[in-house]
Amino acid sequence: MMNKKGDILPFWSKVLPVYRILWERGPLSRREIQELTGLKLTTLVRSLDELKNNGFITESGQGESSGGRRPVLYEINYRKAALIGIDISRTYIKIAHMDMKSNIIKSRRFSLSREHCPRTAVSMIGEIIRSFGIKTPILGIGIGCVGPLDKEKGVILNPEYFPAPGWENVPLVEMLNEENAYPIFLENGANCAALAEFYYGAAKECRSLGYIHVGVGIRSGVINHGSLVRTVDNRDDALGHMIVNMDGRECYCGNYGCLQSYCTLNGMLQEFKAKLKMGRRSQVREFYRGCIDQLPLSVFYQAIKDKDPLAVQIMLDGAAALGTGVANFSNLLDLDLVIINGPVIQLSEDFYNQCAYTAQNKTLRNIHFSKGKLGDNAIVMGAGLLVLDNSLKNGALFNI
């Protein structure tokens, strides 16, 4: 039984195994919970009573009978508390109010422009959270962000290609704490998306998952048996700097032939401009009269939509390069499923098909490829998972 406010250790340490298995696998019967946790029946019954009496779980109907009475099913009370998830990319920020299963109740998104310095963006995030009018206790705020990051200090370090100045060494968690008095957890966005797809999306039945987000840059996350696999410095752009052509294009990192120089939006746009300057034919010349060096991404988008041969060829070459990188990625990590998502994948169905075809033909074993099931909600949902996971580890959930 829970004691006075703040004296939570005896309660949550005993009921946590039951609550976690119901969160991961529920609804479940008492017998199913016992089989999955290995708890003694008396301990299990006491834990279920504690959780139910304090509103953390509910009865959710009856299961199939195995010969006697139909068993009662239990599941967590998803509305007991709220989660806030934030997705910070180079081009937009999305904020979502979710229940404890990361189901999105409300969300808002705004595009980033040259006017959106960190202080302006954080102020807008605070205003949006307040506008949700959340009545249930808020467990915390999870942030899935473009890297590189210093997770421990809550700082965005030196990301590339933000439209506004000032996004270097941003103390994001500290700034958000000035707007909101909730626990805040910072993580690479690709890792958040991987978590969400693993628990709620296309990877629910997989042991290992690679998540690749391709847009202005390349971000990747890996999960093995439910745990994130991290680089030493928690970078999310390592895959983008895999060398796929030793004598290839120059990358901003100083190397030549990096994957992201071929298949990201910026990489393909730069190649398109280079070919136009070399005199290659393109329908773009019929409607774009500006300087080639200033040609915007929207023109390249339109060229692909119009099936411009030059633009399409550059896109397919980029897809093949990405497929090669994905195959290397998969062979090294022995993945069951690779999810490829992001603005580039949404650019054209042909891009995804070419990428998956190339990767499948270069992998050492049969690997499944998918665009995922959660779409552009994956990062905010995974950010919500960060909050819940930390709240379970430190027992904060059971003190609301």
Side-chain angles (χ1 to χ4, degrees):
M1 182 173 179
M2 261 198 296
N3 301 318
K4 62 183 179 179
K5 189 81 167 177
D7 187 13
I8 58 173
L9 183 59
F11 173 70
W12 77 264
S13 62
K14 294 174 183 177
V15 302
L16 180 58
V18 176
Y19 187 88
R20 181 173 279 278
I21 204 67
L22 283 173
W23 172 71
E24 291 180 353
R25 306 282 290 273
L28 296 170
S29 67
R30 190 170 66 185
R31 180 178 178 180
E32 290 171 325
I33 299 169
Q34 186 177 22
E35 290 174 352
L36 290 167
T37 61
L39 292 173
K40 293 180 181 179
L41 183 59
T42 53
T43 302
L44 174 59
V45 171
R46 190 160 49 245
S47 295
L48 287 171
D49 287 343
E50 291 266 23
L51 287 167
K52 182 181 173 185
N53 292 339
N54 286 283
F56 290 102
I57 66 172
T58 61
E59 295 182 2
S60 61
Q62 296 179 318
E64 294 296 325
S65 172
S66 57
R69 296 175 60 182
R70 296 175 66 187
V72 174
L73 298 179
Y74 298 92
E75 66 178 352
I76 70 169
N77 177 6
Y78 302 132
R79 301 284 179 161
K80 180 71 172 177
L83 310 174
I84 300 293
I86 302 173
D87 171 10
I88 300 180
S89 82
R90 296 172 176 91
T91 57
Y92 68 85
I93 293 178
K94 182 173 183 175
I95 305 98
H97 162 211
M98 295 167 286
D99 65 18
M100 294 177 61
K101 199 73 172 178
S102 288
N103 295 308
I104 295 176
I105 299 169
K106 294 179 182 178
S107 70
R108 283 183 57 188
R109 168 176 167 157
F110 60 91
S111 298
L112 294 178
S113 68
R114 293 180 182 275
E115 284 69 46
H116 288 91
C117 67
R119 179 60 64 185
T120 298
V122 167
S123 178
M124 292 179 68
I125 289 170
E127 289 176 6
I128 289 171
I129 292 174
R130 290 188 289 273
S131 76
F132 287 153
I134 301 170
K135 304 300 182 184
T136 52
I138 297 176
L139 275 183
I141 298 172
I143 308 168
C145 186
V146 171
L149 310 170
D150 185 328
K151 285 181 59 217
E152 303 307 317
K153 294 181 179 179
V155 174
I156 302 175
L157 296 175
N158 55 340
E160 296 287 335
Y161 305 124
F162 267 80
W167 284 91
E168 297 82 22
N169 299 310
V170 179
L172 183 64
V173 170
E174 179 183 319
M175 293 170 69
L176 274 171
N177 270 324
E178 295 172 4
E179 294 278 341
N180 303 275
Y182 308 116
I184 300 175
F185 307 95
L186 180 65
E187 181 60 86
N188 290 317
N191 284 345
C192 290
L195 282 170
E197 289 285 0
F198 186 84
Y199 283 104
Y200 301 135
K204 286 183 71 173
E205 306 300 324
C206 295
R207 298 169 305 158
S208 58
L209 161 71
Y211 185 95
I212 300 171
H213 185 278
V214 192
V216 175
I218 298 177
R219 297 186 275 165
S220 60
V222 177
I223 290 183
N224 187 25
H225 293 282
S227 299
L228 286 168
V229 178
R230 300 181 182 278
T231 59
V232 173
D233 57 359
N234 284 312
R235 294 187 71 92
D236 64 352
D237 62 348
L239 177 62
H241 294 288
M242 176 187 289
I243 306 298
V244 293
N245 185 346
M246 291 179 61
D247 299 313
R249 303 170 194 165
E250 185 176 8
C251 179
Y252 71 83
C253 71
N255 280 331
Y256 290 82
C258 290
L259 178 59
Q260 74 166 28
S261 298
Y262 293 86
C263 60
T264 60
L265 292 172
N266 189 59
M268 290 189 290
L269 177 62
Q270 295 307 315
E271 180 66 4
F272 187 57
K273 291 178 182 179
K275 295 298 185 185
L276 289 175
K277 288 163 74 173
M278 291 169 60
R280 292 285 298 274
R281 293 182 178 179
S282 170
Q283 299 166 10
V284 165
R285 296 185 184 278
E286 297 175 9
F287 63 87
Y288 181 75
R289 305 298 181 188
C291 174
I292 295 299
D293 285 332
Q294 303 301 318
L295 187 142
L297 187 58
S298 59
V299 172
F300 181 62
Y301 273 148
Q302 189 61 45
I304 290 175
K305 184 177 179 180
D306 294 340
K307 304 294 184 184
D308 176 76
L310 178 60
V312 169
Q313 188 59 56
I314 289 171
M315 178 192 71
L316 294 177
D317 289 346
L322 179 60
T324 300
V326 168
N328 293 337
F329 183 69
S330 305
N331 289 336
L332 178 66
L333 298 170
D334 195 28
L335 302 172
D336 292 330
L337 173 68
V338 176
I339 294 175
I340 311 168
N341 208 330
V344 169
I345 304 305
Q346 297 159 14
L347 184 64
S348 167
E349 189 71 22
D350 292 336
F351 186 100
Y352 174 80
N353 291 337
Q354 179 66 60
C355 174
Y357 175 82
T358 303
Q360 192 67 72
N361 280 282
K362 293 179 181 291
T363 50
L364 297 176
R365 68 180 180 89
N366 186 40
I367 294 173
H368 298 287
F369 295 90
S370 168
K371 294 181 182 179
K373 289 187 177 180
L374 305 179
D376 63 3
N377 289 327
I379 294 177
V380 290
M381 292 176 68
L385 274 169
L386 291 179
V387 177
L388 182 59
D389 185 58
N390 280 278
S391 298
L392 290 176
K393 287 177 179 176
N394 62 26
L397 167 64
F398 302 110
N399 201 29
I400 59 176

